[in-house]
Amino acid sequence: MLEVERINSFYGKAHVLRDLSLSVPKSNVVALLGRNGAGKTTTLKSIMQLVRPTTGSITFQGRSIAGSQPHKVAKLGLGYVPEERRIFTDLTVAENLLVGKQPPREGAVTWSEDMLFDLFPNLAERRNNRGKALSGGEQQMLTIARTLMGNPSFVLLDEPSEGVAPVIVEQMARVIQQLKSEGLTVLLSEQNLHFAQAVADLVVIIESGVQVYNGTLAELNSHPEIRDAYLAA
Amino acid sequence: MEFFVAQILTGLANASSLFLVACGLSLIFGVTRIVNFAHGSLYMLGAYIGYSLMQVLPGGVGFWGSIILAGVAVGIIGVLIEMLVLRPVYRAPELFQLVATFGVILVIQDLTLIIWGPEDLLGPRAPGLRGVFRIMGEPIPKYDIVLLVITPFVALGLWYLITQTRLGVLVRAATQDREMVGALGVNQVWLFTGVFALGSALAGLGGALQLPKGGADLLMDFNILAPVFVVVVIGGMGSLPGAYLAAIIISVLNVFGVTYLPQSTLVLMFIVMIVVLMIRPYGLFGREEVAGEHGQVGEPEDPIKPASSRARLIIALGIAALAFLPLYGSSFSQVLATDVMIFCLFAASLHFLLGLGGLVSFGHAAYYGGGAYVAALLVTHLNSSMEIAFMLAPIGAGLAALAIGWVCLRLTGVYFAMLTLAFAQLLWSLVFQWGDVTGGDDGLVNIWPSDWLNETTVYFYFTMLFAIGGILVLRHIAHSPFGYALRAARDSKRQAETMGIDTHKVQLLAFGFAGLMGGLAGALFVFSKGSVFPNELEIARSFDALIVVFLGGVKTLAGGVVGAGFFKGIEETLTRFEYWRLVMGLLIIGVVILAPNGIVGSLRKFVRRLRGVSEGEGA
């Protein structure tokens, strides 16, 4: 569904991604693993065109999206959930959802505010609270809910388990499993291997912007030496 | 009591236009992060277009229709400006966008002059609203009452749009994090254009609405800027209720000022502003600006290197060529070279603040003109000798800069910039209004240097000594530990502080020093011309310096000097034409779009490409 081929991305003069390739099949959850600074966030941003890769190709559902505008990428059905949450803190929960709202899309679930409140019951009672009044976990849920309002067929999830309570991490894992069962495709960046274990089908590991492992979760589990070499304990 | 109420009502009526213009400005800034300097020009266009429409459309319907149509027309002009000038530079550094809007100001000034001529236009009275209402026995113009009633409804309408519609939600979301809004599938380009149209239309409405009270003239564009900036700063950037409340405070205060202390009206406005900022640094309803938090930061700056031996040779040759100018150049060329050197020093002092300190001062003319006035006042009123006056001028300007810097440095970013402009305008209005001492619009004349200097060639060398000396001192400081500390405070205030740098002190000293050097340039200026007028203090002069620094290139040390030479050269050529502002404006816009690194920066890039190396030499 998504093919990334040999992209190179820079921050200023820093070469962050080096000939990175990866592929995400439809209705799979792919976990992008790697240490802090390995280039996970940059990979997701490059797909979203928030960072422009200088070379390489990115195709989504057979269409090239490299060089496109982020809003056009989003319109194709790619949803982006940023790492730092980036909710609109001065807007209420309902208003945050309204910003993400997009017309229904064929082949994807059409989300409504109520459906999202069923998925994230904590948000329902916070409907009219401003973003800045929410807890970290609630903010993380709101970021995901806001992206789902765009009825994406594919979601880029940047470290959803980072900095939230274990109880929320578990809830997040359940949500991702549910989304997957509804046919959503997910590319998830993670440092938390346990979280990835709970949701992922396939695993890609990167180190210094280079792909060092690509395979199923089961294979990775049978090669602990890879895990030890490239992932934090 | 009756009189008191009447004063308040008049103030409320006056607040109307101010509010409209201010909330247009703050709306545009919120979403696009551009301080639209041309906002005053849009206000002026609203007045002129409204005037012309009122000549054609008859009666009450015609009058009010003209006002609305003027708003619509200015909104369309705003869209054109956004699409043609700003779209190409959204990705450029923020400051470049400002320079582009200066260009727009110049273009609109001359276009207005061409279309409507130089005479002030007396605004038509609103049909059916010619007389006065008696309120508690006091006469209040009927039009004032209408304005006073309309404004809250306009404010309410805007409030509804911003808080209750999806467009408003998107605008508020984009104000906080426009990249994220884009990533959620919203096309920012059209959001920007829409907001620009709305903000411009509000400015146009403001201009047309005040026609019966103030008419239309060619100074409206700059005259509205300082009060609007003050309103935005007091109210808090991006806050509608804040803008409304601040507009009322300023306008009511102004009415009382006119009655009780006619020479202090503008000063009063600033005192209120300072008090508000002491208590609430981000205005009554504002919040801290966190521009640059998400995807706003440009590429890291190249470190400034000491000049290479070749660059030193070129500089030395240039100075030598200049030193021998009296041998081969005419007397006129020496006068011109004197002007250019003075301007170079002025620009270099701003560049020091802006490039090294990252402190964008919009009001640097305060110190240039301030220095000139200190010297002129000493000579005129105390009969001081030229030498004493010349020495005290930079000191006076430096002290003024320290005082103003102390207030302004409480703020950062755009608030800081607006405040510096507002202070410069305060100084200008003091000089302008306090005619007994400063000569007002007639300026101060007969400020000649002592006999030993009173000769073109001698003064040329005198200027050369101080201007080039000053520039070299500025350069030297850039490479000194103080320069490092200043740049550290610019790049990462917090990190600099953890290393033990008192960033506030460093920046304040830099501000004072830049003011001192600006004052030195002003002192050189006043004795070279023998007179000084308030226009040395006005916004346009501050803009000249800013344009020069940007034209030259902010990130290069030589930028200020090269830009100044270029600018003076062009000005000298262009001012021979009647509509030189138009050409200058278009030129500025062209440079901004085509050479976003400035002259020196672009040349360097070009040279690098020629050489095919990635690292260039410092200049």
Side-chain angles (χ1 to χ4, degrees):
Chain A
M1 190 173 200
L2 177 80
E3 304 290 334
V4 175
E5 270 173 57
R6 300 176 68 86
I7 57 168
N8 283 278
S9 289
F10 293 79
Y11 276 124
K13 284 174 181 161
H15 195 166
V16 183
L17 300 184
R18 296 161 190 270
D19 283 337
L20 184 74
S21 302
L22 61 88
S23 130
V24 182
K26 193 165 166 29
S27 300
N28 272 265
V29 175
V30 175
L32 181 64
L33 303 177
R35 289 200 185 92
N36 220 346
K40 303 186 295 293
T41 296
T42 310
T43 307
L44 299 195
K45 282 190 170 175
S46 298
I47 294 168
M48 205 60 206
Q49 298 299 313
L50 293 168
V51 171
R52 296 282 175 97
T54 50
T55 55
S57 77
I58 304 174
T59 45
F60 178 64
Q61 293 178 317
R63 267 203 241 201
S64 169
I65 54 172
S68 185
Q69 299 280 339
H71 73 93
K72 288 189 180 147
V73 177
K75 285 259 200 261
L76 290 176
L78 262 165
Y80 171 65
V81 181
E83 179 185 18
E84 324 86 354
R85 298 190 191 122
R86 287 171 75 166
I87 58 162
F88 305 111
T89 48
D90 280 349
L91 270 54
T92 64
V93 167
E95 286 173 338
N96 266 281
L97 295 178
L98 189 58
V99 176
K101 193 176 164 75
Q102 292 288 333
R105 187 185 318 282
E106 217 176 302
V109 180
T110 303
W111 292 92
S112 68
E113 201 183 83
D114 289 336
M115 287 160 71
L116 287 167
F117 286 156
D118 285 342
L119 194 64
F120 300 107
N122 311 39
L123 291 181
E125 54 203 75
R126 301 292 237 146
R127 188 179 182 279
N128 293 314
N129 286 108
R130 283 175 192 258
K132 61 181 151 205
L134 303 185
S135 71
E138 286 167 339
Q139 292 192 349
Q140 184 64 64
M141 293 177 201
L142 179 57
T143 340
I144 297 176
R146 184 181 64 181
T147 300
L148 291 176
M149 280 298 276
N151 312 315
S153 53
F154 188 120
V155 170
L156 300 161
L157 257 179
D158 202 354
E159 300 217 21
S161 75
E162 194 199 21
V164 292
V167 122
I168 311 277
V169 175
E170 271 173 42
Q171 194 186 345
M172 217 73 78
R174 279 199 302 276
V175 166
I176 292 172
Q177 278 154 354
Q178 189 186 332
L179 294 175
K180 185 180 140 191
S181 70
E182 285 166 2
L184 196 74
T185 313
V186 177
L187 175 62
L188 159 94
S189 93
E190 259 311 327
Q191 287 195 61
N192 180 343
L193 186 60
H194 297 293
F195 183 73
Q197 298 268 16
V199 295
D201 305 303
L202 298 167
V203 172
V204 173
I205 301 180
I206 58 173
E207 169 82 11
S208 305
V210 178
Q211 194 198 90
V212 292
Y213 176 80
N214 180 5
T216 65
L217 189 66
E219 279 166 14
L220 178 67
N221 286 336
S222 61
H223 290 93
E225 71 282 1
I226 297 175
R227 220 171 52 194
D228 296 341
Y230 298 113
L231 300 177
Chain B
M1 181 63 200
E2 293 79 14
F3 179 67
F4 197 73
V5 171
Q7 295 279 64
I8 289 185
L9 289 178
T10 311
L12 283 171
N14 290 348
S16 181
S17 285
L18 198 52
F19 163 70
L20 289 173
V21 182
C23 69
L25 183 86
S26 120
L27 207 61
I28 289 176
F29 174 80
V31 174
T32 63
R33 296 278 137 189
I34 290 178
V35 180
N36 179 26
F37 275 114
H39 214 65
S41 308
L42 294 169
Y43 164 77
M44 178 170 80
L45 277 179
Y48 274 99
I49 293 173
Y51 177 89
S52 289
L53 287 170
M54 284 172 196
Q55 305 299 310
V56 187
L57 304 173
V61 177
F63 177 84
W64 295 105
S66 300
I67 289 179
I68 292 176
L69 284 177
V72 172
V74 175
I76 294 170
I77 294 170
V79 169
L80 289 177
I81 294 173
E82 198 270 345
M83 291 173 73
L84 298 176
V85 181
L86 296 175
R87 264 193 205 176
V89 297
Y90 276 134
R91 284 179 182 275
E94 248 168 63
L95 300 172
F96 254 83
Q97 302 162 347
L98 290 179
V99 177
T101 65
F102 301 162
V104 172
I105 292 180
L106 294 177
V107 170
I108 290 181
Q109 260 176 0
D110 261 5
L111 287 180
T112 311
L113 179 65
I114 292 170
I115 298 172
W116 284 282
E119 274 90 45
D120 293 1
L121 303 178
L122 194 64
R125 292 294 170 96
L129 296 170
R130 279 167 216 275
V132 296
F133 285 121
R134 294 252 158 214
I135 292 178
M136 297 167 79
E138 292 287 329
I140 311 280
K142 286 182 181 170
Y143 188 69
D144 277 11
I145 300 294
V146 171
L147 275 186
L148 197 154
V149 173
I150 292 177
T151 315
F153 285 101
V154 177
L156 215 63
L158 277 173
W159 176 83
Y160 181 84
L161 182 74
I162 297 296
T163 59
Q164 304 295 311
T165 63
R166 174 149 198 261
L167 181 73
V169 170
L170 291 181
V171 165
R172 280 182 290 142
T175 298
Q176 193 181 344
D177 187 347
R178 60 187 187 196
E179 189 188 70
M180 195 60 227
V181 173
L184 288 167
V186 177
N187 187 350
Q188 297 174 60
V189 173
W190 289 108
L191 191 62
F192 280 26
T193 309
V195 166
F196 218 90
L198 178 62
S200 306
L202 287 172
L205 267 184
L209 263 183
Q210 63 80 53
L211 269 174
K213 294 166 72 76
D217 61 73
L218 288 167
L219 294 175
M220 287 172 77
D221 51 351
F222 281 155
N223 285 346
I224 192 89
L225 269 187
V228 161
F229 281 11
V230 168
V231 162
V232 169
V233 168
I234 291 183
M237 202 79 187
S239 164
L240 273 179
Y244 192 43
L245 189 60
I248 288 174
I249 292 174
I250 292 299
S251 302
V252 169
L253 206 75
N254 198 36
V255 172
F256 279 100
V258 168
T259 313
Y260 297 109
L261 292 157
Q263 283 178 333
S264 70
T265 48
L266 288 147
V267 182
L268 224 57
M269 176 166 96
F270 288 95
I271 293 173
V272 172
M273 180 175 73
I274 292 166
V275 171
V276 168
L277 291 178
M278 295 282 176
I279 304 165
R280 293 191 59 88
Y282 296 96
L284 294 171
F285 294 96
R287 57 189 200 91
E288 191 171 356
E289 274 308 320
V290 280
E293 195 180 37
H294 288 304
Q296 295 273 349
V297 188
E299 281 187 33
E301 310 239 337
D302 281 338
I304 293 167
K305 297 172 197 161
S308 62
S309 49
R310 193 196 301 172
R312 277 168 202 268
L313 187 70
I314 293 172
I315 292 169
L317 283 176
I319 293 177
L322 199 60
F324 290 115
L325 181 70
L327 294 182
Y328 58 85
S330 64
S331 161
F332 173 73
S333 71
Q334 290 170 41
V335 172
L336 186 61
T338 304
D339 285 358
V340 172
M341 285 189 292
I342 292 172
F343 201 66
C344 283
L345 177 61
F346 176 38
S349 71
L350 176 64
H351 181 269
F352 178 76
L353 201 58
L354 207 154
L356 297 179
L359 299 168
V360 185
S361 166
F362 287 167
H364 207 55
Y367 318 110
Y368 175 73
Y373 264 98
V374 168
L377 287 170
L378 284 171
V379 170
T380 307
H381 292 291
L382 298 177
N383 259 326
S384 117
S385 72
M386 177 258 171
E387 289 80 2
I388 301 278
F390 184 80
M391 262 169 45
L392 290 179
I395 295 174
L399 289 177
L402 279 180
I404 293 173
W406 185 77
V407 178
C408 295
L409 282 168
R410 304 171 74 91
L411 304 181
T412 53
V414 63
Y415 283 94
F416 171 84
M418 288 189 166
L419 213 53
T420 53
L421 180 137
F423 270 107
Q425 197 61 0
L426 165 71
L427 230 61
W428 174 83
S429 48
L430 263 179
V431 167
F432 199 82
Q433 286 191 333
W434 204 7
D436 299 343
V437 176
T438 62
D441 205 16
D442 298 329
L444 293 169
V445 291
N446 278 328
I447 321 291
W448 295 109
S450 299
D451 290 339
W452 63 277
L453 269 172
N454 207 351
E455 200 275 320
T456 305
T457 305
V458 181
Y459 200 81
F460 166 79
Y461 281 119
F462 182 73
T463 305
M464 199 171 153
L465 179 71
F466 279 97
I468 293 183
I471 292 168
L472 290 177
V473 167
L474 285 168
R475 265 195 79 101
H476 180 75
I477 293 180
H479 293 296
S480 74
F482 181 80
Y484 296 150
L486 187 59
R487 276 182 272 157
R490 170 195 72 190
D491 291 341
S492 176
K493 198 167 181 157
R494 250 180 236 168
Q495 205 153 4
E497 265 164 13
T498 59
M499 292 191 303
I501 297 171
D502 183 346
T503 55
H504 184 79
K505 196 169 130 196
V506 166
Q507 290 183 330
L508 183 60
L509 277 176
F511 202 96
F513 191 69
L516 184 115
M517 285 302 187
L520 179 63
L524 286 168
F525 167 82
V526 68
F527 288 111
S528 77
K529 297 291 175 221
S531 58
V532 60
F533 300 94
N535 58 347
E536 296 312 322
L537 282 162
E538 68 185 13
I539 300 179
R541 187 67 68 241
S542 297
F543 284 8
D544 283 351
L546 274 170
I547 290 169
V548 157
V549 172
F550 289 117
L551 280 182
V554 183
K555 295 179 178 178
T556 55
L557 277 180
V561 176
V562 173
F566 182 73
F567 183 82
K568 271 283 166 193
I570 293 213
E571 199 185 46
E572 203 65 39
T573 325
L574 285 181
T575 41
R576 295 184 198 149
F577 302 108
E578 194 178 356
Y579 297 115
W580 66 274
R581 284 192 195 85
L582 181 65
V583 183
M584 187 78 184
L586 292 174
L587 207 70
I588 289 170
I589 295 170
V591 169
V592 165
I593 295 176
L594 299 175
N597 293 307
I599 298 169
V600 175
S602 296
L603 273 180
R604 198 178 286 175
K605 242 186 179 167
F606 182 69
V607 170
R608 270 187 218 179
R609 205 177 302 157
L610 278 187
R611 288 193 193 149
V613 292
S614 60
E615 294 293 318
E617 282 176 69

